[in-house]
C-alpha cells in the first residue's frame, strides 16, 4: 500500500469494481466511456491496472492505467475523485502516485484531456488542463487529436499531454504516428482506415509540412 498524508492508494481488487464503476459513470460522459465489460476484461487480463484511493476507510477515487507497450508511454485512461471529496488535493495526490509508477517503469505518463477550444463546457475543460499542467503535464504539439466516440455518437477534440522528467514533450513525426497508432489500435480497436485516425494523421502531416 502506498501511503500519503491524506490518502492510502492500493491496487484495486474485485470488491472495488462496483464503487469504481459507479464513479466512472458519474464522472465521464458516455461518448468517452468504454463499456463496463471492456474495462473489467482489461483489468482482469492485466492489460490495464486499477488503483484505488481511500481516506479514513472511505472510497475516494481511482486511477486506471493502460500500458501502450509499443511506445514509451503509459496512458492514464481514467482518473476520478468522489464528488464529495473533490477540490481537496486528492486528485493531485493520486496523479503523483501514478507518475511515480511510470518513473519506476522508466516510461512516461500520457493523458487525453478535452480541448478547451471546443465544446460548451470551456471553463471545466480549462480547469482540467490547468490541473494537469500544475502537476507537471505538458501539451504535445503538432497534433489535432480526436477521441473516437465510444458510444457510436460523436468524437471529442482532445489535447495529448505528457509528463516527462525532462519536459521535452515534442515528438518526431514518426513518434507521433506510432503513438496515435498504439492508442487507436490497442485502446479503440480502430485501424488505419478509420476516418478519425486519418484526420489525426493529416493534422500531423500538415504541422510538419509547414516547418
Amino acid at each position: 500500500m502506498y501511503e500519503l498524508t491524506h490518502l492510502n492508494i492500493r491496487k484495486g481488487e474485485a470488491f472495488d469494481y462496483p464503487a469504481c464503476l459507479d464513479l466512472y459513470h458519474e464522472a465521464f460522459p458516455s461518448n468517452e466511456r468504454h463499456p463496463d465489460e471492456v474495462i473489467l476484461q482489461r483489468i482482469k487480463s492485466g492489460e490495464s491496472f486499477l488503483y484505488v484511493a481511500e481516506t479514513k476507510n472511505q472510497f475516494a477515487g481511482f486511477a486506471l492505467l493502460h500500458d501502450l507497450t509499443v511506445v514509451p508511454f503509459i496512458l492514464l485512461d481514467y482518473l476520478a475523485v468522489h464528488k464529495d471529496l473533490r477540490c481537496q488535493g486528492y486528485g493531485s495526490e493520486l496523479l503523483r502516485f501514478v507518475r511515480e509508477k511510470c518513473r519506476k517503469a522508466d516510461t512516461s505518463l500520457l493523458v487525453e484531456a478535452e480541448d478547451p477550444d471546443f465544446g460548451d463546457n470551456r471553463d471545466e475543460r480549462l480547469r482540467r488542463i490547468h490541473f494537469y499542467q500544475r502537476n507537471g503535464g505538458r501539451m504535445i504539439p503538432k497534433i489535432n487529436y480526436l477521441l473516437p466516440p465510444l458510444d457510436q455518437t460523436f468524437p471529442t477534440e482532445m489535447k495529448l499531454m505528457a509528463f516527462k522528467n525532462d519536459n521535452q514533450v515534442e515528438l518526431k513525426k514518426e513518434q507521433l504516428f506510432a503513438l496515435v497508432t498504439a492508442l487507436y489500435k490497442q485502446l479503440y480497436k480502430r485501424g488505419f482506415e478509420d476516418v478519425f485516425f486519418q484526420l489525426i494523421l493529416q493534422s500531423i502531416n500538415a504541422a510538419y509540412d509547414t516547418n
Side-chain angles (χ1 to χ4, degrees):
M1 185 177 292
Y2 184 95
E3 295 193 1
L4 295 166
T5 305
H6 300 101
L7 291 183
N8 291 329
I9 303 175
R10 57 174 175 78
K11 183 178 178 182
E13 303 289 349
F15 62 81
D16 296 305
Y17 297 163
C20 291
L21 288 174
D22 284 347
L23 178 54
Y24 173 63
H25 282 264
E26 182 267 323
F28 300 98
S30 62
N31 65 315
E32 297 179 20
R33 290 198 313 262
H34 292 282
D36 293 358
E37 57 270 21
V38 170
I39 294 291
L40 295 178
Q41 185 276 328
R42 288 176 176 171
I43 295 169
K44 292 173 183 177
S45 69
E47 296 175 75
S48 295
F49 305 93
L50 176 67
Y51 295 96
V52 172
E54 298 172 322
T55 179
K56 298 179 181 178
N57 296 319
Q58 177 186 358
F59 172 71
F62 73 89
L64 187 70
L65 303 180
H66 190 96
D67 191 343
L68 295 173
T69 64
V70 296
V71 290
F73 287 97
I74 291 177
L75 177 69
L76 178 55
D77 207 359
Y78 300 97
L79 182 151
V81 173
H82 191 282
K83 62 182 180 180
D84 295 335
L85 298 172
R86 291 171 190 163
C87 300
Q88 298 181 44
Y90 295 137
S92 293
E93 291 194 16
L94 192 48
L95 185 55
R96 283 195 293 272
F97 170 83
V98 296
R99 285 194 66 188
E100 179 64 11
K101 284 285 182 183
C102 291
R103 188 192 67 78
K104 289 181 177 179
D106 195 26
T107 189
S108 298
L109 185 66
L110 180 74
V111 169
E112 299 165 319
E114 290 174 315
D115 190 334
D117 290 335
F118 298 88
D120 55 7
N121 59 338
R122 176 177 171 80
D123 289 345
E124 183 178 349
R125 292 179 178 217
L126 278 172
R127 283 196 299 271
R128 290 178 185 149
I129 293 286
H130 293 160
F131 165 73
Y132 290 123
Q133 289 175 328
R134 285 197 311 272
N135 286 282
R138 299 292 181 268
M139 292 185 193
I140 297 177
K142 300 183 178 180
I143 180 172
N144 296 329
Y145 184 72
L146 291 168
L147 178 74
L150 301 183
D151 63 355
Q152 308 307 313
T153 55
F154 51 88
T156 305
E157 296 85 358
M158 293 278 189
K159 294 290 189 182
L160 287 182
M161 303 183 71
F163 296 76
K164 301 185 72 174
N165 290 333
D166 59 6
N167 286 328
Q168 299 299 313
V169 298
E170 183 168 344
L171 304 179
K172 296 179 180 177
K173 182 177 180 179
E174 58 270 22
Q175 292 174 318
L176 269 180
F177 274 12
L179 176 57
V180 173
T181 300
L183 286 165
Y184 263 63
K185 287 191 173 181
Q186 289 186 38
L187 268 293
Y188 308 123
K189 309 303 180 187
R190 291 172 178 254
F192 188 76
E193 72 285 350
D194 181 83
V195 62
F196 304 118
F197 192 5
Q198 285 297 316
L199 287 171
I200 298 169
L201 298 187
Q202 289 171 21
S203 78
I204 297 171
N205 280 324
Y208 278 89
D209 289 345
T210 57
N211 286 280

